[in-house]
Amino acid sequence: MPRHAALFFAVALSGAFLDLWTKHAVFAHFEARPWPREVEILPGFLSYGKTYNPGVVFGIAQKYPAFWKGVAVLAVPAILAIFFSVKRLRWILTLSLGMILAGTIGNMYDRLAHGAVRDFLKFYVVSDGQQKVWPLFNLADSYICVGVFLLTVEMMFFEEKKAKPAPAPAPLAPPPPAAVPPPAPLP
């Protein structure tokens, strides 16, 4: 358990730090230089910009930022409780829960400090002169997605079956002897 806990916290804390550091660096860059609003990293594929998302994935439910703030705050102790309640930890479970916690901490900090999640990474493809864009995201979102994927793989392929094995069938007993009628009295 100590090695699993060390890995869990190392992944969670280093991932959250890297997420928050990249958000700070990108947003500071755009505050110092407001133009251009987007910087290409790989032309025609990847750029970074700046946006605030008060909702969740793909900007869904943006009208409820207080609700998502509460969910984010409650998610951290829930993830910790799940990790510490597992009796037989596996490395993939430890890694996946650490990544989910890293992303949750990063986005929770944003919700508490900025009122919304800071997103900056943008993948897109230019096809027929039109730009097809994947909604902006951040490292925390990536950690959560990869962590959930790994957790799914762990649950589907590596988790021990929770159902108790069926009891072994009882050995077959020999059939009872056929009833033989008592011998008839002799005359």
Side-chain angles (χ1 to χ4, degrees):
M1 174 67 163
R3 291 186 303 170
H4 284 278
L7 176 63
F8 173 72
F9 285 112
V11 168
L13 296 177
S14 62
F17 172 79
L18 185 60
D19 172 65
L20 293 172
W21 179 79
T22 56
K23 289 174 184 174
H24 171 75
V26 168
F27 279 61
H29 168 82
F30 283 110
E31 288 172 12
R33 300 168 201 83
W35 297 100
R37 293 185 162 206
E38 190 173 295
V39 176
E40 279 190 325
I41 298 170
L42 297 171
F45 183 67
L46 175 66
S47 65
Y48 69 90
K50 152 183 158 171
T51 188
Y52 289 92
N53 178 6
V56 287
V57 180
F58 306 125
I60 297 170
Q62 292 188 9
K63 295 181 182 179
Y64 309 105
F67 173 76
W68 296 120
K69 193 180 293 186
V71 168
V73 169
L74 293 174
V76 171
I79 295 165
L80 290 169
I82 290 168
F83 176 75
F84 286 109
S85 71
V86 176
K87 302 224 184 312
R88 294 187 59 191
L89 287 167
R90 288 191 167 75
W91 293 108
I92 191 169
L93 178 64
T94 300
L95 182 62
S96 64
L97 288 175
M99 292 182 80
I100 293 169
L101 183 60
T104 301
I105 290 170
N107 284 344
M108 179 193 68
Y109 174 85
D110 279 358
R111 290 187 191 284
L112 296 175
H114 302 284
V117 173
R118 298 174 290 175
D119 290 330
F120 64 92
L121 290 170
K122 175 182 170 185
F123 282 103
Y124 60 96
V125 175
V126 178
S127 174
D128 299 327
Q130 302 243 352
Q131 193 179 70
K132 296 180 170 92
V133 179
W134 184 261
L136 271 68
F137 63 100
N138 56 45
L139 293 182
D141 298 338
S142 301
Y143 297 149
I144 292 169
C145 289
V146 171
V148 167
F149 173 76
L150 290 175
L151 185 60
T152 303
V153 168
E154 198 276 337
M155 291 172 73
M156 289 176 64
F157 299 108
F158 299 106
E159 186 176 79
E160 291 179 18
K161 301 299 177 207
K162 292 188 178 13
K164 292 182 181 177
L172 294 175
V180 178
L186 292 174

